[in-house]
Amino acid sequence: MSWLWRCWCHCCGTKREEEEDQEEICSPVNSNSSHVADSESSQNSEDMGKVFSRLGLSRESEDQAASKPLTVDAEEVTPNDVVVPQSTISVVHPPKSATTPIPPVPSSPHYPLATPRSPLRRSLEDATTPGSSPTKPPEKRMKGDLQDPEIPILCDDHSIDYIQQSKVMLIMKGLPGSGKSYLADRICRVYQNVVVCSADKYFMQDGEYKFDREKLKEAHENSQQTAKDAAERNTPVIIIDNTNVRNWEMGAYLGLARDFLYTPLVLEAQTPWAFDPQELTLRNKHGVPKEILVQKVKSYQPVQPLYYGWFLNEADSWKLCDIAKSWLQAAINVEQFYKDLSHHFDVVSPEELLRTYSRQTYRDGGSILHCTANFTARGKDESSREYINNPIVKSAMGKCFPLHVIGFIITPRTFGVRLRLTVNQLDLWGQDDTETVPSIISHPHEPKKHKRNEPTEKKTDKENDIRHSLFSTTPLHSSCTVTITQLNSLSQADQFHPTSGKGSRAHITMGCAPGVKPVTTGFDLIDIVRREKEAQSSLTDVLETFTLPGGTLRNYGEGSWALYLDKELQISSLFSAYYG
């Protein structure tokens, strides 16, 4: 019986164990296997009695000894590290045999902690019993070693609440077996009303994966249609669970995000084996061979955004536009302001001046407002690549941040919201606050004249509706939640010089004059901050200042105006990137 064998090993096999290697061979208890043959004569029973006598055990303790497994000191693990089976586990040290070598436990030379133990065995007889074969290593890696990544969308309560009340498209990016589907599953457990779009689902039949290369195009079209249907229903969270090895493969989904006013967030696999073909071969659930994975690793394109920033949701974008329009209307009611701006724009009515600022030059459509933290231009230079790979930037992706609106800037070229960044936001700030204004836009008092009947770029009805709705007084029927609140008071000491130095360029572009690009707003703000500093240090120069209900309007000359709020506005945003 197995308990007798263990007792004999414990008392008589000590010296032999010291000569053996210390490798443990374990297995779950199986009631139908690994039993020592006990069909011998009664002489064996007498031998058992002798052994019990020598061990100091009585016959009464036999059942207890057989039912109580031996215990082994093991390294402490957490529930996330390994799944402990419910059945009893026995551990023994079998005698060394010259004729039956013990197969080594397979392990990964690169990721030993991620390698599961060999299937457990009770005794050497299990491996040598006729009709049985030595234990084989597992065909696939266990997922017990996968732990939830510490990313805001999974562990930051404020970010989770904000995403659940907004519209976010999470695009997975990683090789087969890298852990992206595990991450997608964890996201589904955290959020409500989630739709997962995957080409793999097209090949699932009765719970079995049956891949057909001839239908690969249909599978991806089905995934895209699923995403579109979910976007049309205003589903808060849409997950794209595809490999997206090359960046162009995300294009269709990024287009959907832009058309349906979703904030896109690309999540790359961050597991240690994400680019290890050997480990990916063992872990991917669809049997992708190593040769193909090697090629995929070589062709993999890291994500390279056009710019990073804090993005508002659809409802907040509309609400902020409505607030900004109201303040611009209040400024137009000031006679000196209207005369100054109408001269630069060559308009004949306040209504025409109000409609001058548009979004026709916005590269991203301008439907979702944002504050640019850094323009990386897809990592074209070393500083951009450093920003993209900065651990602080990576850890902030998908995190909710408050933006503080402290006023507006109005020039003949741009109309923008001025922001005050928090300390944590300044860690993500990568813009040059003292950048020299390019010569092509260095003369704010000489804007490009435009004709009143100048044809505009042709837009589809849907795009025109979106553009009109953001500037109209009719609320959008959005599933997102408005987060804009008014704070009790401003935090800065000098209302007329609210920011300086790092982060003083932070803004949201609301609209541009015809032919002017949104980047110009940042240069206009740099110029106004400079003029503010000069006015602050000057004792003789008195600026034109006009008091408005809830704010103050100041003229800095050459068509540059600043509107300071008596009370800050706070608005929630999601730190992400624009991928083009």
Side-chain angles (χ1 to χ4, degrees), residues 426-441:
L426 289 176
D427 291 338
L428 300 168
W429 182 253
Q431 298 280 70
D432 184 357
D433 298 285
T434 60
E435 185 176 359
T436 303
V437 180
S439 58
I440 191 173
I441 55 175

Side-chain angles (χ1 to χ4, degrees), residues 332-382:
I332 290 177
N333 291 335
V334 176
E335 183 178 0
Q336 291 85 337
F337 176 86
Y338 172 69
K339 287 183 178 180
D340 189 18
L341 269 295
S342 61
H343 168 72
H344 286 284
F345 282 119
D346 190 23
V347 295
V348 296
S349 68
E351 292 75 18
E352 190 176 0
L353 177 59
L354 193 64
R355 294 193 302 266
T356 299
Y357 299 104
S358 71
R359 299 173 178 272
Q360 295 180 8
T361 57
Y362 281 46
R363 184 168 185 169
D364 58 5
S367 299
I368 295 296
L369 300 178
H370 73 277
C371 169
T372 301
N374 192 16
F375 186 81
T376 53
R378 308 190 196 284
K380 67 177 182 179
D381 55 41
E382 184 176 354

